[in-house]
């Protein structure tokens, strides 16, 4: 397993993961999740804000649009895999995550990492012109035309737009991402009750900060968004199956191993 190879199990690096219940208080749990979010997001929000003027030119859009289907898929698969690797890093530092069996860690990442990438996408999204920071510049839906999955792209952009409307703080995004990842409903879990303990503590943390921010009503909306995330990910899988059937060679030999391991 690539996931295991890249991220060897080493509980000693993170004392909290050994004793998730010894967390002195919920503040400490939240602080720890917020810290790992901060340390694993490629760009800070202020940096992205400052880059907003960088929008792809007509000519640059043309270059993406004239790529072949398999070229563009390979390109996007590489970008997605980069983003997923940061999410794996984030997961490792959620208190309690590394107490789970390797199998359960992988099961959670298999279904949750793409969802967290999509949650994180709202930080990279500019609602003023509906563009996402991609390859160093802001790109609209038309840039992804040659993927030949317009419905997926439109749904992903809609989701990012709706997430932006919630105007979440970085701390809220961090706790929500952790909750998306630590989910007892994922298939193939060995020790559901252990996952449940971790899930409860993260839920408690999210409730705590929403209460502190006087935004308890967000909880309900966030749970609704989790259902949308699930449907987006199954659409992504469906498109990937379609693509792999048509371009088996690209899917087999040119996609990053981690992408194949997670989604194939
Ligand atoms: C992340 C940074 C980031 C990186 C990559 C069908 C298929 C293979 C892909 C961005 C869907 C195409 C992605 C690259 C498209 C929706 C994907 C391709 C936050 C998210 C972000 C900006 C990804 C968003 C989704 C993108 C654009 O930390």
């Amino acid at each position: 397993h690539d996931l295991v190879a890249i991220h060897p199990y080493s509980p000693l690096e993170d004392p909290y993961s050994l004793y998730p219940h010894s967390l002195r208080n919920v503040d400490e749990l939240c602080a720890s999740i917020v810290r790992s979010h901060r340390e694993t997001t490629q760009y800070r929000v202020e940096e992205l804000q400052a880059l907003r003027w960088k929008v792809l030119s007509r000519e640059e859009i043309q270059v993406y649009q004239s790529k072949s289907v398999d070229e563009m898929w390979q390109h996007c698969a590489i970008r997605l895999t980069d983003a997923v690797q940061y999410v794996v890093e984030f997961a490792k530092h959620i208190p309690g995550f590394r107490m789970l069996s390797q199998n359960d860690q992988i099961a959670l990442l298999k279904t949750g990492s793409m969802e967290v990438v999509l949650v994180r996408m709202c930080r990279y999204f500019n609602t003023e012109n509906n563009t996402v920071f991609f390859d160093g510049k802001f790109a609209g839906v038309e840039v992804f035309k040659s993927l030949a999955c317009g419905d997926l792209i439109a749904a992903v952009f809609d989701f990012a737009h709706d997430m932006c409307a919630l105007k979440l703080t970085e701390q809220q995004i961090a706790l929500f991402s952790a909750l998306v990842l630590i989910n007892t409903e994922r298939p193939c879990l060995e020790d559901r009750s252990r996952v449940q303990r971790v899930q409860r503590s993260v839920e408690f943390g999210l409730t705590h900060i929403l209460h502190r921010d006087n935004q308890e009503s967000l909880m309900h909306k966030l749970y609704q968004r989790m259902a949308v995330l699930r449907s987006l990910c199954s659409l992504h899988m469906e498109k990937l199956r379609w693509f792999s059937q048509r371009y088996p060679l690209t899917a087999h030999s040119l996609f990053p191993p981690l992408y194949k391991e997670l989604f194939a």
Side-chain angles (χ1 to χ4, degrees):
H1 271 297
D2 233 48
L3 278 169
V4 179
I6 298 169
H7 307 285
Y9 179 69
S10 52
L12 289 175
E13 269 173 46
D14 178 4
Y16 293 123
S17 72
L18 278 172
Y19 309 107
H21 300 291
S22 75
L23 280 172
R24 243 164 279 135
N25 52 47
V26 65
D27 282 319
E28 206 170 318
L29 171 89
C30 292
S32 153
I33 293 174
V34 169
R35 189 184 332 114
S36 46
H37 170 76
R38 197 182 337 107
E39 286 168 1
T40 59
T41 55
Q42 292 141 281
Y43 289 85
R44 281 179 286 120
V45 206
E46 313 84 73
E47 285 177 303
L48 290 162
Q49 203 70 32
L51 289 167
R52 282 195 170 194
W53 60 274
K54 284 193 164 203
V55 180
L56 291 173
S57 67
R58 280 256 139 265
E59 294 72 34
E60 288 169 319
I61 294 172
Q62 262 300 313
V63 174
Y64 285 108
Q65 291 185 335
S66 54
K67 283 184 192 287
S68 62
V69 178
D70 57 328
E71 244 184 325
M72 190 61 181
W73 264 84
Q74 192 198 346
H75 187 78
C76 286
I78 290 170
R79 287 284 160 276
L80 273 174
T81 307
D82 272 354
V84 160
Q85 265 167 353
Y86 284 94
V87 173
V88 172
E89 210 47 51
F90 167 68
K92 273 174 54 179
H93 295 282
I94 297 173
F97 182 82
R98 283 195 288 182
M99 280 296 284
L100 305 172
S101 69
Q102 211 154 64
N103 176 79
D104 285 357
Q105 296 183 23
I106 291 168
L108 292 177
L109 286 166
K110 243 184 155 107
T111 39
S113 56
M114 177 68 178
E115 295 188 6
V116 173
V117 166
L118 294 177
V119 169
R120 288 177 162 207
M121 180 174 169
C122 70
R123 303 172 70 254
Y124 290 74
F125 198 76
N126 182 357
T127 43
E128 281 159 38
N129 54 6
N130 284 315
T131 53
V132 63
F133 192 69
F134 169 74
D135 265 357
K137 291 198 180 168
F138 281 84
V141 282
E142 69 280 6
V143 170
F144 301 95
K145 201 176 93 182
S146 36
L147 288 172
C149 46
D151 50 349
L152 171 65
I153 300 304
V156 164
F157 272 65
D158 279 351
F159 176 79
H161 195 277
D162 291 350
M163 280 300 289
C164 286
L166 298 180
K167 300 209 178 304
L168 302 179
T169 65
E170 280 293 285
Q171 303 185 346
Q172 292 167 348
I173 294 175
L175 270 291
F176 180 54
S177 303
L179 191 61
V180 165
L181 219 47
I182 312 292
N183 186 336
T184 51
E185 275 151 60
R186 303 301 191 192
C188 306
L189 289 174
E190 281 168 351
D191 189 349
R192 241 167 255 281
S193 60
R194 200 186 270 252
V195 177
Q196 184 150 62
R197 281 207 298 276
V198 184
Q199 186 184 33
R200 289 213 175 108
S201 69
V202 174
E203 236 162 6
F204 190 56
L206 181 58
T207 311
H208 172 77
I209 62 162
L210 292 181
H211 177 78
R212 188 202 57 195
D213 299 342
N214 236 316
Q215 289 194 292
E216 275 126 326
S217 60
L218 271 180
M219 197 53 141
H220 175 65
K221 292 182 185 155
L222 291 175
Y223 276 107
Q224 287 176 333
R225 296 299 193 277
M226 285 169 81
V228 181
L229 279 171
R230 261 196 295 278
S231 71
L232 289 176
C233 286
S234 48
L235 192 52
H236 169 238
M237 300 295 275
E238 198 181 294
K239 297 298 176 189
L240 176 60
R241 277 191 296 273
W242 163 84
F243 177 81
S244 311
Q245 248 162 40
R246 281 191 91 172
Y247 302 91
L249 276 174
T250 305
H252 180 265
S253 27
L254 298 174
F255 277 4
L258 182 60
Y259 184 85
K260 288 191 286 184
E261 182 183 340
L262 285 172
F263 307 122

PDB file of all heavy atoms in Angstrom, residues 190-220:
ATOM      1  N   GLU A 190     -12.924  -2.027  10.493  1.00  0.00           N
ATOM      2  CA  GLU A 190     -12.768  -3.194  11.371  1.00  0.00           C
ATOM      3  C   GLU A 190     -13.299  -2.901  12.769  1.00  0.00           C
ATOM      4  O   GLU A 190     -13.955  -3.714  13.389  1.00  0.00           O
ATOM      5  CB  GLU A 190     -11.275  -3.538  11.529  1.00  0.00           C
ATOM      6  CG  GLU A 190     -10.689  -4.292  10.368  1.00  0.00           C
ATOM      7  CD  GLU A 190      -9.161  -4.355  10.440  1.00  0.00           C
ATOM      8  OE1 GLU A 190      -8.539  -3.673  11.287  1.00  0.00           O
ATOM      9  OE2 GLU A 190      -8.582  -5.090   9.620  1.00  0.00           O
ATOM     10  N   ASP A 191     -12.944  -1.726  13.257  1.00  0.00           N
ATOM     11  CA  ASP A 191     -13.237  -1.401  14.650  1.00  0.00           C
ATOM     12  C   ASP A 191     -14.056  -0.114  14.716  1.00  0.00           C
ATOM     13  O   ASP A 191     -13.552   0.961  15.022  1.00  0.00           O
ATOM     14  CB  ASP A 191     -11.910  -1.248  15.413  1.00  0.00           C
ATOM     15  CG  ASP A 191     -12.127  -1.130  16.916  1.00  0.00           C
ATOM     16  OD1 ASP A 191     -13.288  -0.952  17.348  1.00  0.00           O
ATOM     17  OD2 ASP A 191     -11.125  -1.203  17.645  1.00  0.00           O
ATOM     18  N   ARG A 192     -15.340  -0.274  14.402  1.00  0.00           N
ATOM     19  CA  ARG A 192     -16.231   0.877  14.330  1.00  0.00           C
ATOM     20  C   ARG A 192     -16.336   1.641  15.653  1.00  0.00           C
ATOM     21  O   ARG A 192     -16.487   2.865  15.675  1.00  0.00           O
ATOM     22  CB  ARG A 192     -17.625   0.419  13.894  1.00  0.00           C
ATOM     23  CG  ARG A 192     -18.082   1.036  12.584  1.00  0.00           C
ATOM     24  CD  ARG A 192     -19.301   0.329  12.015  1.00  0.00           C
ATOM     25  NE  ARG A 192     -18.926  -0.504  10.877  1.00  0.00           N
ATOM     26  CZ  ARG A 192     -18.711  -0.027   9.657  1.00  0.00           C
ATOM     27  NH1 ARG A 192     -18.875   1.250   9.397  1.00  0.00           N
ATOM     28  NH2 ARG A 192     -18.342  -0.829   8.677  1.00  0.00           N
ATOM     29  N   SER A 193     -16.266   0.913  16.759  1.00  0.00           N
ATOM     30  CA  SER A 193     -16.469   1.591  18.046  1.00  0.00           C
ATOM     31  C   SER A 193     -15.290   2.510  18.376  1.00  0.00           C
ATOM     32  O   SER A 193     -15.450   3.575  18.960  1.00  0.00           O
ATOM     33  CB  SER A 193     -16.718   0.586  19.165  1.00  0.00           C
ATOM     34  OG  SER A 193     -15.607  -0.260  19.276  1.00  0.00           O
ATOM     35  N   ARG A 194     -14.104   2.083  17.949  1.00  0.00           N
ATOM     36  CA  ARG A 194     -12.943   2.938  18.162  1.00  0.00           C
ATOM     37  C   ARG A 194     -13.051   4.212  17.299  1.00  0.00           C
ATOM     38  O   ARG A 194     -12.771   5.315  17.754  1.00  0.00           O
ATOM     39  CB  ARG A 194     -11.669   2.182  17.798  1.00  0.00           C
ATOM     40  CG  ARG A 194     -10.421   2.743  18.396  1.00  0.00           C
ATOM     41  CD  ARG A 194      -9.241   1.998  17.855  1.00  0.00           C
ATOM     42  NE  ARG A 194      -8.894   0.826  18.661  1.00  0.00           N
ATOM     43  CZ  ARG A 194      -7.802   0.813  19.436  1.00  0.00           C
ATOM     44  NH1 ARG A 194      -7.029   1.850  19.513  1.00  0.00           N
ATOM     45  NH2 ARG A 194      -7.517  -0.264  20.131  1.00  0.00           N
ATOM     46  N   VAL A 195     -13.480   4.010  16.038  1.00  0.00           N
ATOM     47  CA  VAL A 195     -13.675   5.165  15.149  1.00  0.00           C
ATOM     48  C   VAL A 195     -14.745   6.090  15.753  1.00  0.00           C
ATOM     49  O   VAL A 195     -14.628   7.309  15.722  1.00  0.00           O
ATOM     50  CB  VAL A 195     -14.086   4.722  13.724  1.00  0.00           C
ATOM     51  CG1 VAL A 195     -14.363   5.933  12.825  1.00  0.00           C
ATOM     52  CG2 VAL A 195     -13.006   3.856  13.092  1.00  0.00           C
ATOM     53  N   GLN A 196     -15.745   5.453  16.343  1.00  0.00           N
ATOM     54  CA  GLN A 196     -16.824   6.245  16.925  1.00  0.00           C
ATOM     55  C   GLN A 196     -16.335   7.139  18.076  1.00  0.00           C
ATOM     56  O   GLN A 196     -16.771   8.280  18.206  1.00  0.00           O
ATOM     57  CB  GLN A 196     -17.926   5.320  17.435  1.00  0.00           C
ATOM     58  CG  GLN A 196     -19.115   6.095  17.969  1.00  0.00           C
ATOM     59  CD  GLN A 196     -20.393   5.325  17.784  1.00  0.00           C
ATOM     60  OE1 GLN A 196     -20.554   4.229  18.337  1.00  0.00           O
ATOM     61  NE2 GLN A 196     -21.293   5.865  16.995  1.00  0.00           N
ATOM     62  N   ARG A 197     -15.419   6.614  18.860  1.00  0.00           N
ATOM     63  CA  ARG A 197     -14.882   7.426  19.965  1.00  0.00           C
ATOM     64  C   ARG A 197     -14.175   8.665  19.420  1.00  0.00           C
ATOM     65  O   ARG A 197     -14.343   9.768  19.921  1.00  0.00           O
ATOM     66  CB  ARG A 197     -13.917   6.607  20.820  1.00  0.00           C
ATOM     67  CG  ARG A 197     -14.625   5.680  21.789  1.00  0.00           C
ATOM     68  CD  ARG A 197     -13.748   5.403  22.996  1.00  0.00           C
ATOM     69  NE  ARG A 197     -12.488   4.725  22.639  1.00  0.00           N
ATOM     70  CZ  ARG A 197     -12.381   3.407  22.488  1.00  0.00           C
ATOM     71  NH1 ARG A 197     -13.425   2.632  22.653  1.00  0.00           N
ATOM     72  NH2 ARG A 197     -11.224   2.868  22.172  1.00  0.00           N
ATOM     73  N   VAL A 198     -13.379   8.451  18.358  1.00  0.00           N
ATOM     74  CA  VAL A 198     -12.666   9.584  17.767  1.00  0.00           C
ATOM     75  C   VAL A 198     -13.674  10.555  17.150  1.00  0.00           C
ATOM     76  O   VAL A 198     -13.585  11.777  17.322  1.00  0.00           O
ATOM     77  CB  VAL A 198     -11.638   9.119  16.707  1.00  0.00           C
ATOM     78  CG1 VAL A 198     -10.846  10.303  16.171  1.00  0.00           C
ATOM     79  CG2 VAL A 198     -10.700   8.075  17.284  1.00  0.00           C
ATOM     80  N   GLN A 199     -14.676   9.983  16.463  1.00  0.00           N
ATOM     81  CA  GLN A 199     -15.697  10.811  15.815  1.00  0.00           C
ATOM     82  C   GLN A 199     -16.417  11.689  16.843  1.00  0.00           C
ATOM     83  O   GLN A 199     -16.627  12.878  16.622  1.00  0.00           O
ATOM     84  CB  GLN A 199     -16.718   9.916  15.098  1.00  0.00           C
ATOM     85  CG  GLN A 199     -17.741  10.705  14.286  1.00  0.00           C
ATOM     86  CD  GLN A 199     -18.810   9.795  13.656  1.00  0.00           C
ATOM     87  OE1 GLN A 199     -19.189   8.775  14.232  1.00  0.00           O
ATOM     88  NE2 GLN A 199     -19.269  10.145  12.495  1.00  0.00           N
ATOM     89  N   ARG A 200     -16.761  11.092  17.975  1.00  0.00           N
ATOM     90  CA  ARG A 200     -17.467  11.854  19.006  1.00  0.00           C
ATOM     91  C   ARG A 200     -16.638  13.018  19.510  1.00  0.00           C
ATOM     92  O   ARG A 200     -17.168  14.106  19.746  1.00  0.00           O
ATOM     93  CB  ARG A 200     -17.840  10.933  20.186  1.00  0.00           C
ATOM     94  CG  ARG A 200     -18.939   9.974  19.805  1.00  0.00           C
ATOM     95  CD  ARG A 200     -19.856   9.660  20.978  1.00  0.00           C
ATOM     96  NE  ARG A 200     -20.967   8.820  20.526  1.00  0.00           N
ATOM     97  CZ  ARG A 200     -21.100   7.528  20.831  1.00  0.00           C
ATOM     98  NH1 ARG A 200     -20.223   6.935  21.632  1.00  0.00           N
ATOM     99  NH2 ARG A 200     -22.124   6.849  20.358  1.00  0.00           N
ATOM    100  N   SER A 201     -15.335  12.783  19.671  1.00  0.00           N
ATOM    101  CA  SER A 201     -14.512  13.873  20.198  1.00  0.00           C
ATOM    102  C   SER A 201     -14.413  15.009  19.171  1.00  0.00           C
ATOM    103  O   SER A 201     -14.450  16.186  19.538  1.00  0.00           O
ATOM    104  CB  SER A 201     -13.135  13.369  20.636  1.00  0.00           C
ATOM    105  OG  SER A 201     -12.378  12.985  19.519  1.00  0.00           O
ATOM    106  N   VAL A 202     -14.329  14.657  17.880  1.00  0.00           N
ATOM    107  CA  VAL A 202     -14.257  15.696  16.849  1.00  0.00           C
ATOM    108  C   VAL A 202     -15.589  16.455  16.762  1.00  0.00           C
ATOM    109  O   VAL A 202     -15.613  17.687  16.655  1.00  0.00           O
ATOM    110  CB  VAL A 202     -13.886  15.091  15.473  1.00  0.00           C
ATOM    111  CG1 VAL A 202     -13.946  16.142  14.377  1.00  0.00           C
ATOM    112  CG2 VAL A 202     -12.498  14.459  15.508  1.00  0.00           C
ATOM    113  N   GLU A 203     -16.675  15.707  16.856  1.00  0.00           N
ATOM    114  CA  GLU A 203     -18.003  16.318  16.830  1.00  0.00           C
ATOM    115  C   GLU A 203     -18.158  17.300  17.989  1.00  0.00           C
ATOM    116  O   GLU A 203     -18.675  18.413  17.825  1.00  0.00           O
ATOM    117  CB  GLU A 203     -19.050  15.209  17.011  1.00  0.00           C
ATOM    118  CG  GLU A 203     -20.073  15.128  15.928  1.00  0.00           C
ATOM    119  CD  GLU A 203     -20.774  13.764  15.939  1.00  0.00           C
ATOM    120  OE1 GLU A 203     -20.547  12.942  16.860  1.00  0.00           O
ATOM    121  OE2 GLU A 203     -21.537  13.531  15.004  1.00  0.00           O
ATOM    122  N   PHE A 204     -17.675  16.858  19.137  1.00  0.00           N
ATOM    123  CA  PHE A 204     -17.721  17.686  20.329  1.00  0.00           C
ATOM    124  C   PHE A 204     -16.912  18.966  20.112  1.00  0.00           C
ATOM    125  O   PHE A 204     -17.348  20.066  20.464  1.00  0.00           O
ATOM    126  CB  PHE A 204     -17.172  16.873  21.510  1.00  0.00           C
ATOM    127  CG  PHE A 204     -17.375  17.509  22.835  1.00  0.00           C
ATOM    128  CD1 PHE A 204     -18.641  17.869  23.270  1.00  0.00           C
ATOM    129  CD2 PHE A 204     -16.278  17.749  23.661  1.00  0.00           C
ATOM    130  CE1 PHE A 204     -18.826  18.463  24.512  1.00  0.00           C
ATOM    131  CE2 PHE A 204     -16.454  18.347  24.907  1.00  0.00           C
ATOM    132  CZ  PHE A 204     -17.727  18.701  25.323  1.00  0.00           C
ATOM    133  N   GLY A 205     -15.747  18.819  19.472  1.00  0.00           N
ATOM    134  CA  GLY A 205     -14.905  19.967  19.176  1.00  0.00           C
ATOM    135  C   GLY A 205     -15.594  20.952  18.241  1.00  0.00           C
ATOM    136  O   GLY A 205     -15.575  22.165  18.472  1.00  0.00           O
ATOM    137  N   LEU A 206     -16.234  20.425  17.194  1.00  0.00           N
ATOM    138  CA  LEU A 206     -16.920  21.299  16.241  1.00  0.00           C
ATOM    139  C   LEU A 206     -18.087  22.025  16.916  1.00  0.00           C
ATOM    140  O   LEU A 206     -18.259  23.235  16.758  1.00  0.00           O
ATOM    141  CB  LEU A 206     -17.400  20.501  15.021  1.00  0.00           C
ATOM    142  CG  LEU A 206     -18.126  21.289  13.915  1.00  0.00           C
ATOM    143  CD1 LEU A 206     -17.263  22.420  13.367  1.00  0.00           C
ATOM    144  CD2 LEU A 206     -18.543  20.367  12.758  1.00  0.00           C
ATOM    145  N   THR A 207     -18.868  21.274  17.691  1.00  0.00           N
ATOM    146  CA  THR A 207     -19.970  21.886  18.434  1.00  0.00           C
ATOM    147  C   THR A 207     -19.458  23.011  19.321  1.00  0.00           C
ATOM    148  O   THR A 207     -20.041  24.099  19.388  1.00  0.00           O
ATOM    149  CB  THR A 207     -20.663  20.824  19.322  1.00  0.00           C
ATOM    150  OG1 THR A 207     -20.938  19.681  18.523  1.00  0.00           O
ATOM    151  CG2 THR A 207     -21.952  21.354  19.910  1.00  0.00           C
ATOM    152  N   HIS A 208     -18.344  22.720  19.966  1.00  0.00           N
ATOM    153  CA  HIS A 208     -17.734  23.689  20.874  1.00  0.00           C
ATOM    154  C   HIS A 208     -17.368  24.997  20.164  1.00  0.00           C
ATOM    155  O   HIS A 208     -17.723  26.071  20.631  1.00  0.00           O
ATOM    156  CB  HIS A 208     -16.499  23.048  21.515  1.00  0.00           C
ATOM    157  CG  HIS A 208     -15.679  23.987  22.322  1.00  0.00           C
ATOM    158  ND1 HIS A 208     -16.050  24.385  23.591  1.00  0.00           N
ATOM    159  CD2 HIS A 208     -14.508  24.615  22.045  1.00  0.00           C
ATOM    160  CE1 HIS A 208     -15.130  25.210  24.058  1.00  0.00           C
ATOM    161  NE2 HIS A 208     -14.193  25.365  23.151  1.00  0.00           N
ATOM    162  N   ILE A 209     -16.691  24.895  19.019  1.00  0.00           N
ATOM    163  CA  ILE A 209     -16.294  26.162  18.376  1.00  0.00           C
ATOM    164  C   ILE A 209     -17.489  26.879  17.746  1.00  0.00           C
ATOM    165  O   ILE A 209     -17.528  28.103  17.720  1.00  0.00           O
ATOM    166  CB  ILE A 209     -15.111  26.035  17.378  1.00  0.00           C
ATOM    167  CG1 ILE A 209     -15.441  25.133  16.217  1.00  0.00           C
ATOM    168  CG2 ILE A 209     -13.822  25.619  18.037  1.00  0.00           C
ATOM    169  CD1 ILE A 209     -14.470  25.365  15.066  1.00  0.00           C
ATOM    170  N   LEU A 210     -18.478  26.110  17.257  1.00  0.00           N
ATOM    171  CA  LEU A 210     -19.669  26.775  16.700  1.00  0.00           C
ATOM    172  C   LEU A 210     -20.418  27.519  17.807  1.00  0.00           C
ATOM    173  O   LEU A 210     -20.928  28.623  17.606  1.00  0.00           O
ATOM    174  CB  LEU A 210     -20.593  25.767  16.008  1.00  0.00           C
ATOM    175  CG  LEU A 210     -20.053  25.141  14.724  1.00  0.00           C
ATOM    176  CD1 LEU A 210     -21.081  24.186  14.122  1.00  0.00           C
ATOM    177  CD2 LEU A 210     -19.659  26.207  13.697  1.00  0.00           C
ATOM    178  N   HIS A 211     -20.448  26.914  18.984  1.00  0.00           N
ATOM    179  CA  HIS A 211     -21.087  27.555  20.137  1.00  0.00           C
ATOM    180  C   HIS A 211     -20.327  28.831  20.497  1.00  0.00           C
ATOM    181  O   HIS A 211     -20.906  29.901  20.660  1.00  0.00           O
ATOM    182  CB  HIS A 211     -21.099  26.586  21.318  1.00  0.00           C
ATOM    183  CG  HIS A 211     -21.659  27.180  22.558  1.00  0.00           C
ATOM    184  ND1 HIS A 211     -23.022  27.339  22.754  1.00  0.00           N
ATOM    185  CD2 HIS A 211     -21.061  27.680  23.659  1.00  0.00           C
ATOM    186  CE1 HIS A 211     -23.222  27.891  23.921  1.00  0.00           C
ATOM    187  NE2 HIS A 211     -22.051  28.123  24.492  1.00  0.00           N
ATOM    188  N   ARG A 212     -19.007  28.701  20.569  1.00  0.00           N
ATOM    189  CA  ARG A 212     -18.158  29.834  20.905  1.00  0.00           C
ATOM    190  C   ARG A 212     -18.338  30.972  19.893  1.00  0.00           C
ATOM    191  O   ARG A 212     -18.375  32.142  20.254  1.00  0.00           O
ATOM    192  CB  ARG A 212     -16.692  29.362  20.926  1.00  0.00           C
ATOM    193  CG  ARG A 212     -15.698  30.363  21.442  1.00  0.00           C
ATOM    194  CD  ARG A 212     -14.309  30.039  20.942  1.00  0.00           C
ATOM    195  NE  ARG A 212     -14.276  30.001  19.469  1.00  0.00           N
ATOM    196  CZ  ARG A 212     -13.299  29.477  18.759  1.00  0.00           C
ATOM    197  NH1 ARG A 212     -12.278  28.901  19.353  1.00  0.00           N
ATOM    198  NH2 ARG A 212     -13.346  29.499  17.433  1.00  0.00           N
ATOM    199  N   ASP A 213     -18.474  30.591  18.586  1.00  0.00           N
ATOM    200  CA  ASP A 213     -18.632  31.599  17.533  1.00  0.00           C
ATOM    201  C   ASP A 213     -20.082  32.062  17.391  1.00  0.00           C
ATOM    202  O   ASP A 213     -20.385  32.847  16.486  1.00  0.00           O
ATOM    203  CB  ASP A 213     -18.176  31.037  16.177  1.00  0.00           C
ATOM    204  CG  ASP A 213     -16.715  30.634  16.175  1.00  0.00           C
ATOM    205  OD1 ASP A 213     -15.964  31.095  17.071  1.00  0.00           O
ATOM    206  OD2 ASP A 213     -16.324  29.839  15.293  1.00  0.00           O
ATOM    207  N   ASN A 214     -20.951  31.531  18.256  1.00  0.00           N
ATOM    208  CA  ASN A 214     -22.363  31.890  18.175  1.00  0.00           C
ATOM    209  C   ASN A 214     -22.992  31.512  16.839  1.00  0.00           C
ATOM    210  O   ASN A 214     -23.779  32.279  16.274  1.00  0.00           O
ATOM    211  CB  ASN A 214     -22.513  33.396  18.384  1.00  0.00           C
ATOM    212  CG  ASN A 214     -23.460  33.663  19.517  1.00  0.00           C
ATOM    213  OD1 ASN A 214     -24.512  33.028  19.598  1.00  0.00           O
ATOM    214  ND2 ASN A 214     -23.084  34.575  20.402  1.00  0.00           N
ATOM    215  N   GLN A 215     -22.606  30.363  16.298  1.00  0.00           N
ATOM    216  CA  GLN A 215     -23.095  29.952  14.978  1.00  0.00           C
ATOM    217  C   GLN A 215     -23.580  28.516  15.002  1.00  0.00           C
ATOM    218  O   GLN A 215     -23.333  27.755  14.056  1.00  0.00           O
ATOM    219  CB  GLN A 215     -21.972  30.096  13.946  1.00  0.00           C
ATOM    220  CG  GLN A 215     -21.647  31.546  13.626  1.00  0.00           C
ATOM    221  CD  GLN A 215     -20.798  31.619  12.377  1.00  0.00           C
ATOM    222  OE1 GLN A 215     -19.640  31.177  12.390  1.00  0.00           O
ATOM    223  NE2 GLN A 215     -21.352  32.131  11.308  1.00  0.00           N
ATOM    224  N   GLU A 216     -24.282  28.151  16.057  1.00  0.00           N
ATOM    225  CA  GLU A 216     -24.740  26.765  16.200  1.00  0.00           C
ATOM    226  C   GLU A 216     -25.606  26.310  15.030  1.00  0.00           C
ATOM    227  O   GLU A 216     -25.643  25.126  14.711  1.00  0.00           O
ATOM    228  CB  GLU A 216     -25.528  26.591  17.504  1.00  0.00           C
ATOM    229  CG  GLU A 216     -24.628  26.329  18.696  1.00  0.00           C
ATOM    230  CD  GLU A 216     -24.871  27.305  19.810  1.00  0.00           C
ATOM    231  OE1 GLU A 216     -25.192  28.478  19.505  1.00  0.00           O
ATOM    232  OE2 GLU A 216     -24.761  26.884  20.971  1.00  0.00           O
ATOM    233  N   SER A 217     -26.262  27.259  14.386  1.00  0.00           N
ATOM    234  CA  SER A 217     -27.151  26.880  13.280  1.00  0.00           C
ATOM    235  C   SER A 217     -26.373  26.309  12.091  1.00  0.00           C
ATOM    236  O   SER A 217     -26.942  25.675  11.200  1.00  0.00           O
ATOM    237  CB  SER A 217     -27.967  28.082  12.835  1.00  0.00           C
ATOM    238  OG  SER A 217     -27.095  29.095  12.405  1.00  0.00           O
ATOM    239  N   LEU A 218     -25.063  26.543  12.075  1.00  0.00           N
ATOM    240  CA  LEU A 218     -24.238  26.010  10.983  1.00  0.00           C
ATOM    241  C   LEU A 218     -24.172  24.488  11.006  1.00  0.00           C
ATOM    242  O   LEU A 218     -24.024  23.851   9.952  1.00  0.00           O
ATOM    243  CB  LEU A 218     -22.812  26.551  11.079  1.00  0.00           C
ATOM    244  CG  LEU A 218     -22.481  27.859  10.371  1.00  0.00           C
ATOM    245  CD1 LEU A 218     -21.015  28.198  10.592  1.00  0.00           C
ATOM    246  CD2 LEU A 218     -22.756  27.723   8.874  1.00  0.00           C
ATOM    247  N   MET A 219     -24.277  23.888  12.172  1.00  0.00           N
ATOM    248  CA  MET A 219     -24.114  22.441  12.315  1.00  0.00           C
ATOM    249  C   MET A 219     -25.014  21.693  11.337  1.00  0.00           C
ATOM    250  O   MET A 219     -24.558  20.816  10.606  1.00  0.00           O
ATOM    251  CB  MET A 219     -24.418  22.032  13.752  1.00  0.00           C
ATOM    252  CG  MET A 219     -23.913  20.671  14.122  1.00  0.00           C
ATOM    253  SD  MET A 219     -22.147  20.479  13.760  1.00  0.00           S
ATOM    254  CE  MET A 219     -21.580  19.558  15.137  1.00  0.00           C
ATOM    255  N   HIS A 220     -26.271  22.072  11.332  1.00  0.00           N
ATOM    256  CA  HIS A 220     -27.243  21.430  10.470  1.00  0.00           C
ATOM    257  C   HIS A 220     -26.842  21.567   8.994  1.00  0.00           C
ATOM    258  O   HIS A 220     -26.877  20.600   8.222  1.00  0.00           O
ATOM    259  CB  HIS A 220     -28.609  22.057  10.744  1.00  0.00           C
ATOM    260  CG  HIS A 220     -29.687  21.560   9.845  1.00  0.00           C
ATOM    261  ND1 HIS A 220     -30.110  20.250   9.868  1.00  0.00           N
ATOM    262  CD2 HIS A 220     -30.407  22.178   8.880  1.00  0.00           C
ATOM    263  CE1 HIS A 220     -31.043  20.094   8.972  1.00  0.00           C
ATOM    264  NE2 HIS A 220     -31.248  21.238   8.348  1.00  0.00           N
TER     265      HIS A 220
END
